[in-house]
């Protein structure tokens, strides 16, 4: 009958500038798609060079090597007899564009440049690419000679056009175009385009997956159609984790779904759908509007059909219910996959973590344990790539892990760094957790190093600083805490460099950090202490979410030692103990609770609030707990802390991006790091408002 089509989309773990590896993964995905009967294969955004090339996009080498890979794809017998849709950067009239290249049987059908750019949050596409602003305009693109030699074409269509096969019409969207209020699929659908494709490089954020799925469903609910969504997956060399979720939808229903988190480098999703279902849907809902589109899409015709004449016995995919991970599952899976990509691609032999026995470092430890669980499961599922990479990491060509705990002992080292201010409770909690996850654990006492450094200071100055508890000033107290914290960083790197050498193994260890997003927001950590690591899997996660994550780990991973860690008050243990017990707590030091910080962080970043706007919102949000005067004190205290410590964000450890209010200074949250910390004008506005409220209380 010629009405059913089998289409393929995919999630690929591409790596910026890894042209050889990227080519291999693209070819494998096309091969899998064809084996499932697909006549059209869609890949992620900029899959040839990798999305995260950043300023390497300026280099002519990146364009050159992308075309070299495209030539390999055109020449490969694997790509024959199916329409291949790949992403790469292309320069047209000396302007650089983010493009889709559609080709079939060694002929390029069209090149479609991105029209609406992602230029917010972590995205900076306007820095490297220009949008194609010419609606419905198509120009000639002169192909490089290396491509002409294969295709026999001098020029190909370049611009805002769609592809007409013998049986349907296909139109492209790219990533942010789906999220834009002027999404191209709307106009394309009204002009009769039946299949929409979206190649993305969309990164993970907690609680974000449902937005993506709802947008895809909405795109085909409004005017019918088939929607293919492809995405990158993994860490391609930056702070973000691209989280897959390849999918196929028709008329508002998801009919095929890929994994959000996985260690598979290549995942292909195929679906067989009926074109007549789209036509029937539109016939009832959209027919009066279909002819009102003033500018029809320019169609590039191809003598090729996606369907076969004899498809009566070919079953179609039926609607499915999407399973969304809980935030606790997301924390368990996303950072774990990111860590594995970083480890295997860095060439190092494992991780080292200063394990304090608190919530933050325990969360990092549990994420590494989750990574080991995923690795063992992947090997059990015959993932040969994971086993090959793991053997290279451990330096043993015959190694095969027995279980996650045994694997943990090979690639994960934890150390408790005690001082005279440390309690037995935290030492015991750290040791118990290490035993349960299986890490190689060490107890290290740092007092000798701390006293040596203070001895040098005393020899030069003739003075010996004292803690506040022993009569010292605030400056002395803070300096003594910082010395302990910084000694721990130095020792962490020493043991990371020589830890495997001690065990007669090759390589070094990556140092893991464990400062959460709320502490980064206020600067509640020592610059160049244990927060200064190689990477930090929890730096974009709130304390509140981390506590929920540990509750999940108690049951899911059978780690009962976490109960004691959750029950204990958060503390840095940098000041003297009182009767052997901790007298210093984080929330007392910060002057606000972690839950309050989470609210303030979201108002600062998501709601774009300065001090005055934040005060105006919080007097309503916290009216049952705090008076306007108390809210004003909290807001002022936060902004003083934030502005005094913002400079720390310029050197903070690269962290997994997970939270929409992250203060990461690298790309996501661009702010000054030298502030007028008195905020005189802003605080005066708050004080004036408090006075007005006191003199004119609300009527009951």
């Amino acid at each position: 009958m010629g009405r059913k089509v089998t289409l393929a989309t995919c999630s690929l773990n591409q790596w910026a500038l890894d042209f050889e590896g990227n080519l291999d993964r693209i070819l494998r995905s096309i091969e899998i798609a064809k084996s499932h009967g697909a006549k059209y294969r869609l890949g992620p955004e900029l899959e040839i060079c990798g999305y995260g090339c950043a300023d390497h996009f300026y280099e002519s080498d990146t364009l050159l090597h992308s075309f070299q890979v495209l030539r390999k794809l055109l020449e490969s017998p694997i790509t024959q007899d199916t329409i291949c849709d790949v992403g790469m950067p292309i320069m047209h009239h000396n302007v650089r564009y983010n493009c889709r290249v559609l080709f079939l049987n060694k002929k390029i059908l069209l090149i479609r440049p991105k029209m609406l750019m992602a230029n917010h949050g972590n995205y900076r596409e306007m820095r490297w690419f220009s949008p194609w602003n010419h609606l419905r305009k198509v120009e000639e693109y002169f192909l490089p000679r290396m491509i002409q030699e294969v295709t026999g074409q001098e020029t190909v269509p370049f611009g805002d056009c769609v592809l007409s096969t013998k049986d349907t019409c296909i139109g492209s969207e790219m990533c942010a175009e789906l999220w834009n209020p002027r999404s191209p699929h709307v106009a394309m659908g009204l002009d009769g385009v039946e299949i929409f494709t979206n190649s993305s490089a969309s990164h993970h954020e907690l609680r974000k997956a449902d937005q993506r799925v709802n947008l895809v469903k909405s795109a085909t609910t409004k005017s019918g159609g088939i929607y293919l969504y492809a995405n990158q997956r993994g860490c391609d060399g930056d702070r973000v984790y691209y989280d897959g979720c390849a999918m196929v939808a028709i008329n508002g229903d998801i009919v095929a779904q890929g994994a959000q988190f996985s260690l598979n480098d290549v995942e292909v999703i195929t679906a067989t759908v009926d074109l007549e279902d789209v036509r029937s849907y539109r016939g009832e809902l959209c027919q009066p509007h279909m002819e009102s589109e003033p500018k029809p899409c320019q169609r590039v015709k191809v003598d090729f059909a996606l369907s076969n004449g004899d498809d009566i016995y070919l079953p179609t995919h039926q609607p499915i219910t999407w399973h969304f991970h809980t935030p606790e599952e997301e924390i368990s899976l996303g950072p774990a996959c990111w860590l594995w990509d970083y480890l295997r691609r860095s060439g190092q032999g494992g991780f080292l973590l200063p394990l304090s026995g608190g919530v933050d470092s325990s969360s990092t430890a549990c994420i590494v344990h989750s990574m080991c669980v995923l690795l063992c499961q992947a090997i059990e599922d015959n993932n040969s790539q994971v086993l090959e990479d793991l053997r290279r990491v451990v330096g043993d060509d015959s190694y095969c892990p027995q279980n996650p705990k045994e694997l943990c002992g090979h690639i994960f080292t934890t150390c408790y760094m005690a001082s005279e201010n440390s309690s037995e409770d935290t030492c015991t909690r750290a040791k118990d957790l290490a035993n349960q996850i299986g890490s190689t654990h060490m107890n290290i006492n740092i007092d000798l190093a701390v006293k040596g450094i203070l001895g040098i200071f005393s020899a030069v100055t003739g003075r010996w600083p004292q803690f506040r508890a022993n009569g010292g000033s605030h400056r002395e107290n803070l300096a003594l805490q910082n010395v302990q914290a910084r000694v721990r960083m130095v020792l962490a790197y020493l043991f990371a460099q020589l830890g495997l050498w001690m065990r007669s193994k090759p390589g070094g260890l990556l140092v893991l950090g464990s400062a959460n997003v709320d502490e980064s927001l206020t600067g509640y950590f020592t610059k160049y202490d244990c927060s200064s690591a190689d990477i930090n899997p929890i730096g974009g996660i709130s304390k509140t979410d981390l506590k929920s994550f540990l509750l999940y780990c108690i049951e899911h991973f059978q780690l009962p030692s976490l109960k004691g860690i959750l029950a204990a008050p958060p503390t840095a243990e940098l000041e003297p103990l009182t009767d052997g017990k901790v007298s210093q707590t984080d929330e007392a030091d910060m002057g606000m609770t972690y839950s309050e910080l989470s609210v303030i962080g979201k108002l600062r970043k998501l709601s774009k609030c300065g001090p005055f706007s934040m005060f105006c919102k919080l007097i309503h949000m916290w009216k049952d707990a705090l008076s306007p005067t108390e809210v004003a004190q909290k807001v002022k205290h936060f902004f003083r802390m934030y502005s005094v410590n913002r400079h720390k964000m310029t050197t903070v450890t690269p962290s997994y991006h997970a939270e929409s209010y992250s203060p990461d200074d690298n790309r996501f949250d661009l702010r000054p790091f030298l502030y007028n910390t008195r905020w005189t004008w802003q605080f005066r506005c708050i004080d004036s408002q408090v006075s007005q409220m006191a003199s004119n209380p609300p009527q009951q």
Side-chain angles (χ1 to χ4, degrees), residues 615 619-620 628-629 686-698:
F615 166 77
I619 55 175
H620 299 289
T629 301
I686 293 175
D687 292 339
S688 174
Q689 193 68 47
V690 171
S691 298
Q692 288 182 38
M693 294 176 72
S695 58
N696 297 293

Side-chain angles (χ1 to χ4, degrees), residues 62-111:
T62 303
L63 299 172
L64 168 67
H65 300 327
S66 294
F67 271 113
Q68 290 170 335
V69 171
L70 179 61
R71 175 171 176 148
K72 292 284 187 185
L73 290 169
L74 288 163
E75 292 175 329
S76 173
I78 293 173
T79 64
Q80 303 308 297
D81 301 320
T82 191
I83 297 175
C84 298
D85 186 336
V86 299
M88 61 181 282
I90 291 177
M91 185 172 281
H92 177 56
H93 293 170
N94 292 333
V95 179
R96 196 179 300 101
Y97 295 99
N98 175 351
C99 295
R100 302 305 299 173
V101 180
L102 281 69
F103 63 90
L104 170 68
N105 295 336
K106 298 185 179 181
K107 298 289 183 183
I108 293 177
L109 305 175
L110 62 87
I111 299 173

Side-chain angles (χ1 to χ4, degrees), residues 12 27 33 36 52 64 66-67 70 101 114 135 183 208 234 242-243 293 368 385 445 466 478 498 557 566 595 649 692:
L12 303 183
L27 286 172
H36 292 161
L64 168 67
S66 294
F67 271 113
L70 179 61
V101 180
K114 193 170 186 177
L135 188 69
S183 294
K208 172 184 169 184
Y242 300 100
D243 60 336
E293 189 62 24
V368 177
Q385 185 65 58
N445 191 290
Q466 299 293 325
L478 190 58
L498 299 179
F557 296 127
L566 281 166
S595 59
M649 293 308 300
Q692 288 182 38

Side-chain angles (χ1 to χ4, degrees), residues 539-589:
I541 306 174
S542 72
K543 191 81 159 190
T544 303
D545 281 338
L546 290 176
K547 288 181 176 180
S548 298
F549 166 62
L550 291 187
L551 282 171
Y552 164 83
C553 290
I554 292 172
E555 300 299 326
H556 188 73
F557 296 127
Q558 299 299 302
L559 301 174
S561 62
L562 294 173
K563 293 179 182 177
I565 291 169
L566 281 166
T571 175
E573 287 196 333
L574 294 172
E575 295 188 40
L577 302 174
T578 302
D579 298 326
K581 299 294 182 182
V582 172
S583 59
Q584 177 190 30
T585 64
D586 292 351
E587 292 185 337
D589 277 0

Side-chain angles (χ1 to χ4, degrees), residues 499-511:
L500 294 180
W501 170 78
M502 292 187 305
R503 294 150 64 184
S504 301
K505 291 185 176 183
L509 302 174
L510 292 165
V511 179

Side-chain angles (χ1 to χ4, degrees), residues 293-525:
E293 189 62 24
K295 292 184 179 179
C297 302
Q298 293 210 34
R299 282 163 163 75
V300 175
K301 297 177 183 178
V302 57
D303 186 18
F304 184 78
L306 300 184
S307 58
N308 295 313
D310 184 16
D311 62 8
I312 189 67
Y313 293 111
L314 187 63
T316 58
H317 282 63
Q318 299 304 305
I320 60 174
T321 300
W322 191 287
H323 167 71
F324 293 106
H325 292 290
T326 65
E328 294 77 20
E329 289 172 333
E330 290 185 84
I331 294 170
S332 173
L333 296 169
C337 293
W338 183 75
L339 283 181
W340 171 240
D341 277 348
Y342 200 100
L343 177 60
R344 67 183 176 128
R345 289 171 170 172
S346 69
Q348 297 303 298
F351 298 115
L352 180 138
L353 171 69
L355 185 60
S356 69
V359 166
D360 294 335
S361 61
S362 298
S363 297
T364 297
C366 288
I367 288 170
V368 177
H369 177 68
S370 176
M371 183 194 80
C372 292
V373 171
L374 292 174
L375 289 172
C376 289
Q377 184 61 56
I379 292 168
E380 190 177 317
D381 294 339
N382 299 314
N383 189 320
S384 58
Q385 185 65 58
V386 168
L387 183 58
E388 178 186 331
D389 289 338
L390 181 58
R391 286 173 172 172
R392 189 174 63 252
V393 167
V394 301
D396 182 351
D397 291 339
S398 62
Y399 176 70
C400 192
Q402 300 171 18
N403 53 61
K405 188 172 181 179
E406 183 266 342
L407 172 57
C408 228
H410 278 274
I411 63 174
F412 190 32
T413 299
T414 53
C415 55
Y416 180 81
M417 298 187 182
S419 75
E420 60 186 12
N421 302 318
S422 302
S423 67
E424 278 298 321
D425 291 341
T426 52
C427 180
T428 301
R429 289 196 290 266
K431 182 180 178 182
D432 289 348
L433 178 59
N435 286 337
Q436 288 175 14
I437 64 176
S439 65
T440 300
H441 189 66
M442 298 180 289
N443 277 322
I444 304 169
N445 191 290
I446 67 170
D447 286 338
L448 191 62
V450 171
K451 288 175 181 174
I453 291 171
L454 292 177
I456 294 171
F457 178 83
S458 182
V460 173
T461 65
R463 305 184 68 179
W464 194 281
Q466 299 293 325
F467 282 105
R468 183 165 42 202
N470 300 327
S473 65
H474 172 73
R475 281 188 293 174
E476 294 171 78
N477 195 65
L478 190 58
L480 289 172
Q481 293 183 66
N482 289 343
V483 168
Q484 297 170 76
R486 287 172 178 144
V487 162
R488 287 180 172 133
M489 182 204 72
V490 173
L491 287 173
Y493 274 98
L494 176 63
F495 278 90
Q497 286 184 295
L498 299 179
L500 294 180
W501 170 78
M502 292 187 305
R503 294 150 64 184
S504 301
K505 291 185 176 183
L509 302 174
L510 292 165
V511 179
L512 295 180
S514 55
N516 64 62
V517 71
D518 299 319
E519 290 170 349
S520 297
L521 193 60
T522 58
Y524 183 68
F525 60 90

